[in-house]
Amino acid sequence: MVSELLMRAHRALPVGALLLGALACSGRSWTSRGTESLDEVVVEIDAQALANFDDRWRTAAKGRAPRGSEALQDMTGEARLDIYLGTWCPDSVREVGRFLRILNEAKELPFAVSFYTLPSDKKVWPRDDRDLRYVPTFIVRKGSEELGRVVESAPGGIEVELQALLSGERAGVISGRPDL
């Protein structure tokens, strides 16, 4: 069902959404123009549907997990990872694809993972307490508290940055972007 919805949205992709994708991945943030809530414009997708979305995603999700990713399997404590992405965004394909390879090799991760994608026919993401500006954004939470997030790119690799947030070694925003 989610896969069908995404494929339908992908096929109906207007030129404006393509331009938005290029702008969002090139460092321009979205601004809120509507009254919709963020929950009304994002779609939850499971890892398998995402990994099979199109050839770029299938390629990104294949292969071995990055070295050091096994440390994520050893984390303790209740945590949740919410991943916001654009199926059309090269940064999302790179970073989330790397995480999908970790999921493929992991026996089990000790934290919940949810994937949310911006439908390609939307031009903006309304602002809310999640303060999403760029994709991909990986938000790490324990309970209702945000421990930190990785935004757009992970300088040390997504597995290293997530492990640092989950262990408490780092907090706040981690990004390769100098303006965050």
Side-chain angles (χ1 to χ4, degrees):
M1 166 99 174
V2 171
S3 176
E4 282 179 31
L5 178 63
L6 283 171
M7 292 306 288
R8 214 172 38 244
H10 188 68
R11 281 193 296 270
L13 184 69
V15 174
L18 280 174
L19 292 173
L20 173 70
L23 292 174
C25 289
S26 69
R28 298 204 178 145
S29 64
W30 293 297
T31 57
S32 179
R33 291 200 183 118
T35 57
E36 296 175 313
S37 75
L38 185 60
D39 292 326
E40 292 173 343
V41 298
V42 295
V43 174
E44 187 167 6
I45 183 171
D46 67 41
Q48 190 63 38
L50 183 58
N52 290 308
F53 185 72
D54 65 19
D55 287 341
R56 293 171 310 133
W57 284 93
R58 278 188 286 281
T59 301
K62 283 184 183 174
R64 299 208 31 91
R67 240 180 297 151
S69 61
E70 59 279 347
L72 286 174
Q73 295 178 51
D74 299 330
M75 300 306 301
T76 59
E78 289 190 26
R80 186 175 87 236
L81 176 61
D82 293 329
I83 303 172
Y84 295 87
L85 61 109
T87 56
W88 34 260
C89 176
D91 295 328
S92 292
V93 174
R94 181 189 66 244
E95 299 295 341
V96 179
R98 188 175 177 111
F99 186 75
L100 289 172
R101 291 194 306 272
I102 294 168
L103 281 181
N104 286 338
E105 285 196 15
K107 294 176 187 86
E108 185 176 321
L109 291 176
F111 49 88
V113 179
S114 297
F115 297 88
Y116 302 93
T117 184
L118 174 67
S120 56
D121 62 344
K122 291 294 179 179
K123 294 190 168 100
V124 295
W125 278 7
R127 291 287 172 90
D128 68 1
D129 62 335
R130 288 169 276 199
D131 193 29
L132 298 172
R133 297 180 191 177
Y134 306 101
V135 293
T137 297
F138 294 74
I139 300 177
V140 178
R141 296 182 188 278
K142 282 195 179 176
S144 62
E145 178 187 355
E146 181 177 322
L147 301 178
R149 57 181 61 200
V150 179
V151 179
E152 201 175 69
S153 63
I158 195 62
E159 67 287 354
V160 171
E161 307 301 3
L162 289 176
Q163 193 273 336
L165 290 171
L166 288 162
S167 69
E169 180 184 318
R170 293 195 62 186
V173 177
I174 300 173
S175 181
R177 295 184 59 85
D179 60 332
L180 292 178

